[in-house]
Amino acid sequence: MLKNIDFNKNRQRWKNYFCLFISFLFLIFFYVNRTTILENDPEFSSKFKIASIVLGWIVGVVLIFVRLDFGKKWNRVINILYILFAPCYIFFNMEIAVFNETYSFRGQHLSLLLFNFLLIGILELIFIVITNRVRLGTDIWAFICVMFNIVNHFVYEFRGTPAMASDIATVGTALEVADGYKIQFNFYTTVALVMLFDFIMLGRVIKCEPVFKKVSHRLCGIAVMAIVSVTGFSQLVMTDMVSNRGLYLSLFNPMRSYQQYGSIACFTRSIKLSVPEKPNGYSLKKVEEITSKYTSDTVDPNKKRPNVIAVINEAFSDPQVLGDIETNEDYMPFIHDLMKNGNCVSGTTYASIVGGQTANTEYEFLTGNSMAFLPKGTVAFQLYLRHAMPSLVTELKSEGYTGNSATHLQKARNYNRDKAYPLLGFDKFYDYTNMIVPFVKMRNNATDQCTYDNITHDYEQQRKLTDAPYFGYTMTIQNHSSYDVPFDNFDDKRIVVENADAPDLGYYLSLIKYSDEMFENLINYYKNTNEPTVILLTGDHQPRIHDESMDSITNGEWRNWNDEEMMRRYEVPFLIWANYDIDKKTVEKTSMNYLQTILMETIDGELTGFQKFQQDLQKEIPVLTSNGYWGGADGKFYSVDDKNSPYYDLIQEYAMLQYNDMTDYKNRVEDFFELKQ
C-alpha cells in the first residue's frame, strides 16, 4: 500500500513539473512576441495588458499545486457542476480572440447564446464519454475550441473572411502558401491561451473518477451519444432552425456574424450552406425546354482564328474603387492607358470572392458557370469538379486550337489544379517543377514576367510543330498576399499611399506596378508577331487589405456598407486587347462567368448554346455573383435567393443549366454546351 502511495505521489510530482514546464514555455513565448502582443491600441495600455497576462499566468501556476477532495458524494456533485460550467467558460474563451472587434454579442438573442452553449455542451459530453474521463474529455474539447478560434483569427487576418466548414477541403492549399504570411499573436489571442491554461489547471484541482466503471455501461453511453450526435446533427445543423431563431450568416461579411452570434453557431450554420441543393423544379424535361431555344454554332474549318492568351492575374485590381487614393505615382500607367486609348474591349467585372479562393474565379471564367449556385465558401475545383466537363478550353480545341496549356507556377496540387485542369480539357499544365524557362521569383513567388516567358516559350515551341491557332492560359502568382513581406529589389519601384495610413496597400500597389510593366512586355512581344493575337487580362479578386487600412482609405465607412455597397470589394478591371483591329468598347459592368462569352464575341468565334443563353441573360442580369446581382432594367441589387425579384425565374433557369452541366452530367445536354462539328 505504501509503495502504491509513493508511486502516485511521484506520478503527481512529475505531472506538476510538466505543467510548470509548459507555463514557463508560455513566458518565453510572451517575451519573444511581446512587441506585437503589447502593441498600442485605443482600448488598453501596455501596463494593463502585462498585468492581465501575468495575473492569468500566476493563477494557473498556483492551481498546479492545489488539490481538493470533498469525499465521493460531493466530488460527484462538483464534477457535474464542472461539466455544466465548462461550456460557458469555453464559449467566452473562444470568443476572446475576436473581442477586439466591435460586435461581440451586442443585441444577440438569448436563444442563440444558449444554442452556442448547447452545441459546446453536447460535444463536451461526447469527448467525456469517449475518454471515460470528465477532466480529460473536457480538456481535449476546450483545447480544440480555443485553437479553432485562434486559427480563425489568423484566417481572417490573412484573407478577410473567417474559417467556414467548406475550408476543410482547402487546408492543404492553405498550408502550402502559409509561408508567405506573418503569424503574430496579439493581446486577445494571448489572453485566450492564458485562460485555456487556467481552465486546464482548474480541472486538475478537482478529483475525477472514471465516468463508467463497467464496460457495458460505457458502451451504452457511447451508443446514447451516437444517437444524440446523429439526431442533433440532422436537427440542429442540417435544418434552418438556427436561422429561424435569428442567426443570419452574412455572406458578404461573415466575420460580423461570427462576432455577433458566436463562432460555434456560425460555423455550424456554414455546414448547412456547404451542401449544394438541386434547384427547385429541376428536371431534364425543364432543361431541354430551356436549351431548345438556343442552337450551338457549327465550327467553320476555314475560318482564320487569332491566337488567344488568357491571363488571370493574382489579386490584380484597382483600389481606387474603394476610396479616393492618392499615390506618389501611377501604379499601373500602361494598363490605365491601354484601357482608355488602346485597341481593346475593357471594363469592370465582378468576382464572387475577395482575398482568397482564387480557383473559384478560374472556375467561373473557364466554364461560364457561376458560384452563385454553389455553397458560399466552397471551392468548385476541389468539391464539385469530378468529371470532364465542357469549358472554354474544349470549345477552342474543337475550333482547332493547339497548345491548350495552363500555367500556374506554384504547386500543382494547390486547389486540386493537377486534376481540375485536365478535366477542363487542358493538354499541358506547367507548374514550378516542370516550367520551361528559368524560375525567377519576387518574394517567394514566381514573377509575372517569368510566367509570361513560359507562355511565349510554349507558343514558340508549338509554332515549330504547327501553324494552327494557339491557346495559352495562366493564373499568375506574383501578387499573392501577404503584403507585409519584404520585397526583392523593392525600393526602386516603391508606391506610397500619400493620403492614408495604409502601408500594406502601398506594398500591394508596388507589386501591381511590377505587374503593369511585365504585362507591357507581354503586349509588346505579340505586337511584334505577324499572327493575329488576342490577350485577355483580369484579376481573380481584390487583395486582403488590413481592416485598419480599409478604415483609413474609406474613413471607416466600409464597416457600414450595405450589401450593394460592399460589392465595391469585388470589383476587378478587365481588358481584351488585340494586335489587329477590333470593335473597341467599354463594358460598364459584367461578372466572371460572362467573360468567356465576351472573349468569344471579341474574336468572332462560334458560340455554344450556353453562350447564346448568356448573351440574352446579360441584357437582363448584367452582373451575377455569389454575393448577389443587379437587374438590367431596374438597376436594383438582389440576393440570389430573393424570390420576389422580377428576375427570379431567369436565375432559376441558369441554376438548372448549371446543375445539368456540373452535377447531373450523365444527362448533360451536350449539344447545348458544345459546338457542332
Side-chain angles (χ1 to χ4, degrees):
M1 182 69 177
L2 183 60
K3 289 182 179 180
N4 187 50
I5 293 173
D6 290 339
F7 174 76
N8 288 335
K9 285 184 177 180
N10 287 333
R11 184 171 63 177
Q12 186 63 53
R13 186 182 300 115
W14 282 108
K15 286 182 178 179
N16 292 345
Y17 290 157
F18 177 76
C19 292
L20 276 175
F21 174 71
I22 295 297
S23 69
F24 280 103
L25 280 183
F26 172 79
L27 282 184
I28 296 172
F29 160 81
F30 175 71
Y31 178 78
V32 171
N33 295 278
R34 64 190 184 282
T35 301
T36 54
I37 293 172
L38 300 178
E39 64 186 2
N40 293 325
D41 62 55
E43 293 186 74
F44 306 118
S45 66
S46 292
K47 291 181 180 179
F48 175 86
K49 292 178 179 180
I50 293 174
S52 301
I53 293 170
V54 170
L55 179 61
W57 179 81
I58 291 173
V59 169
V61 171
V62 170
L63 289 174
I64 292 175
F65 303 99
V66 177
R67 294 292 178 275
L68 297 177
D69 186 351
F70 296 99
K72 191 172 184 178
K73 179 180 178 181
W74 282 105
N75 284 341
R76 187 177 296 114
V77 173
I78 291 173
N79 274 231
I80 293 172
L81 293 175
Y82 175 71
I83 292 171
L84 294 175
F85 163 74
C88 303
Y89 191 96
I90 292 171
F91 172 74
F92 286 107
N93 195 12
M94 282 182 68
E95 302 307 320
I96 281 175
V98 292
F99 273 0
N100 55 326
E101 304 295 343
T102 57
Y103 296 94
S104 306
F105 324 118
R106 194 176 299 168
Q108 183 177 357
H109 197 284
L110 178 61
S111 63
L112 290 176
L113 194 63
L114 295 176
F115 177 72
N116 282 277
F117 295 157
L118 178 63
L119 281 176
I120 295 173
I122 291 174
L123 289 162
E124 175 197 14
L125 289 176
I126 290 173
F127 278 93
I128 289 174
V129 170
I130 291 173
T131 61
N132 200 29
R133 294 289 190 278
V134 169
R135 188 167 59 217
L136 179 60
T138 303
D139 286 351
I140 291 173
W141 179 231
F143 179 82
I144 291 173
C145 285
V146 175
M147 289 302 108
F148 165 77
N149 246 29
I150 289 176
V151 169
N152 194 23
H153 163 77
F154 288 119
V155 170
Y156 177 74
E157 286 296 310
F158 296 156
R159 77 179 189 197
T161 57
M164 292 194 282
S166 55
D167 287 318
I168 294 173
T170 65
V171 168
T173 300
L175 293 176
E176 297 289 357
V177 300
D179 58 354
Y181 298 100
K182 282 184 178 179
I183 297 179
Q184 296 179 324
F185 281 74
N186 62 15
F187 172 66
Y188 302 94
T189 49
T190 305
V191 169
L193 286 176
V194 173
M195 290 186 65
L196 175 63
F197 173 64
D198 288 352
F199 178 76
I200 293 175
M201 293 305 102
L202 177 64
R204 298 180 75 247
V205 169
I206 63 177
K207 186 175 181 60
C208 296
E209 299 290 338
V211 178
F212 303 106
K213 299 294 179 62
K214 296 182 179 181
V215 174
S216 58
H217 292 173
R218 187 177 182 185
L219 292 176
C220 287
I222 292 174
V224 170
M225 291 313 301
I227 294 172
V228 170
S229 300
V230 172
T231 304
F233 184 81
S234 61
Q235 296 300 314
L236 299 179
V237 177
M238 299 309 293
T239 68
D240 292 326
M241 188 199 76
V242 182
S243 61
N244 293 337
R245 292 288 187 278
L247 191 157
Y248 170 66
L249 179 55
S250 170
L251 300 183
F252 272 103
N253 193 351
M255 192 53 154
R256 180 181 299 176
S257 300
Y258 272 57
Q259 292 156 353
Q260 188 169 359
Y261 305 123
S263 300
I264 286 288
C266 288
F267 186 82
T268 300
R269 179 60 181 161
S270 76
I271 296 174
K272 171 71 164 58
L273 297 177
S274 298
V275 179
E277 297 179 354
K278 182 186 293 188
N280 292 330
Y282 176 84
S283 69
L284 188 57
K285 181 180 179 181
K286 180 63 176 176
V287 170
E288 290 173 343
E289 178 185 321
I290 300 169
T291 59
S292 64
K293 304 172 187 176
Y294 303 93
T295 302
S296 295
D297 291 335
T298 301
V299 173
D300 180 358
N302 299 315
K303 179 181 285 189
K304 179 69 174 177
R305 305 177 191 280
N307 301 316
V308 174
I309 309 293
V311 178
I312 299 183
N313 193 284
E314 173 65 41
F316 174 76
S317 70
D318 190 340
Q320 285 287 356
V321 300
L322 301 176
D324 185 18
I325 298 171
E326 297 177 6
T327 56
N328 58 323
E329 60 178 299
D330 192 343
Y331 41 84
M332 56 171 86
F334 175 75
I335 293 173
H336 280 153
D337 181 68
L338 194 63
M339 293 180 70
K340 183 178 180 181
N341 303 311
N343 180 47
C344 62
V345 174
S346 64
T348 297
T349 184
Y350 286 82
S352 290
I353 53 176
V354 64
Q357 297 184 328
T358 290
N360 283 341
T361 290
E362 295 186 79
Y363 173 78
E364 289 187 310
F365 169 68
L366 291 170
T367 67
N369 289 335
S370 175
M371 293 303 297
F373 309 121
L374 296 178
K376 182 73 173 181
T378 58
V379 177
F381 276 14
Q382 292 181 298
L383 296 179
Y384 309 119
L385 188 52
R386 291 287 180 262
H387 305 274
M389 65 186 301
S391 70
L392 175 65
V393 191
T394 60
E395 180 179 3
L396 292 175
K397 287 172 73 172
S398 71
E399 292 183 331
Y401 278 78
T402 57
N404 303 309
S405 64
T407 301
H408 180 64
L409 303 184
Q410 247 286 348
K411 293 187 177 179
R413 65 176 177 265
N414 286 2
Y415 286 130
N416 215 34
R417 288 187 179 95
D418 56 342
K419 297 179 177 63
Y421 283 164
L423 291 174
L424 291 171
F426 286 109
D427 296 328
K428 292 176 287 186
F429 175 23
Y430 296 109
D431 63 23
Y432 81 105
T433 65
N434 67 344
M435 56 191 293
I436 52 180
V437 297
F439 184 85
V440 180
K441 69 178 182 178
M442 179 178 295
R443 302 180 303 164
N444 292 322
N445 301 318
T447 63
D448 285 359
Q449 188 63 57
C450 177
T451 303
Y452 298 153
D453 288 346
N454 198 79
I455 294 175
T456 54
H457 197 74
D458 183 65
Y459 161 74
E460 290 168 353
Q461 286 187 344
Q462 200 65 32
R463 276 295 159 264
K464 297 175 183 178
L465 303 174
T466 177
D467 60 357
Y470 171 84
F471 173 55
Y473 165 83
T474 182
M475 177 68 240
T476 71
I477 190 65
Q478 172 186 289
N479 302 335
H480 198 286
S481 57
S482 79
Y483 307 109
D484 299 322
V485 179
F487 288 56
D488 298 286
N489 303 320
F490 172 72
D491 289 334
D492 60 336
K493 291 185 177 68
R494 177 75 179 267
I495 300 295
V496 178
V497 180
E498 296 180 330
N499 64 331
D501 183 15
D504 57 328
L505 181 58
Y507 296 154
Y508 163 75
L509 291 176
S510 300
L511 282 169
I512 293 299
K513 181 72 184 301
Y514 279 103
S515 290
D516 183 77
E517 295 175 1
M518 295 171 186
F519 185 69
E520 182 177 10
N521 294 338
L522 179 68
I523 293 293
N524 287 336
Y525 175 89
Y526 284 98
K527 267 185 181 178
N528 296 318
T529 62
N530 57 7
E531 297 180 14
T533 301
V534 169
I535 299 178
L536 177 145
L537 170 70
T538 191
D540 56 340
H541 54 68
Q542 286 190 21
R544 164 58 172 140
I545 299 300
H546 293 325
D547 290 357
E548 295 79 8
S549 297
M550 285 293 295
D551 286 337
S552 185
I553 63 179
T554 67
N555 295 319
E557 294 176 1
W558 74 281
R559 294 182 182 273
N560 298 314
W561 284 348
N562 60 31
D563 286 356
E564 182 175 5
E565 292 169 330
M566 189 62 76
M567 286 293 285
R568 293 160 66 179
R569 284 292 278 133
Y570 298 85
E571 285 189 42
V572 177
F574 84 93
L575 65 87
I576 302 172
W577 170 88
N579 64 355
Y580 61 95
D581 289 337
I582 59 174
D583 293 332
K584 178 183 175 182
K585 65 177 180 179
T586 300
V587 179
E588 181 181 350
K589 56 186 178 184
T590 186
S591 46
M592 294 296 180
N593 55 307
Y594 293 137
L595 277 188
Q596 66 159 259
T597 297
I598 295 173
L599 173 63
M600 294 306 294
E601 291 171 344
T602 302
I603 68 172
D604 193 28
E606 290 90 356
L607 299 179
T608 65
F610 182 46
Q611 289 168 338
K612 291 180 180 180
F613 168 81
Q614 284 196 330
Q615 283 182 317
D616 285 349
L617 188 68
Q618 286 182 79
K619 299 171 185 175
E620 301 293 331
I621 303 171
V623 172
L624 174 61
T625 74
S626 63
N627 305 303
Y629 62 91
W630 274 286
D634 59 15
K636 292 182 179 179
F637 187 76
Y638 299 91
S639 63
V640 177
D641 58 357
D642 185 351
K643 295 182 179 180
N644 296 318
S645 165
Y647 308 97
Y648 183 73
D649 290 342
L650 285 174
I651 290 292
Q652 289 302 105
E653 285 187 0
Y654 198 162
M656 290 181 190
L657 293 175
Q658 180 167 315
Y659 188 85
N660 177 257
D661 178 30
M662 184 185 70
T663 306
D664 192 18
Y665 60 91
K666 292 183 179 180
N667 296 310
R668 182 188 292 140
V669 185
E670 302 288 356
D671 290 344
F672 176 75
F673 293 101
E674 297 176 350
L675 296 174
K676 294 181 180 180
Q677 295 296 318

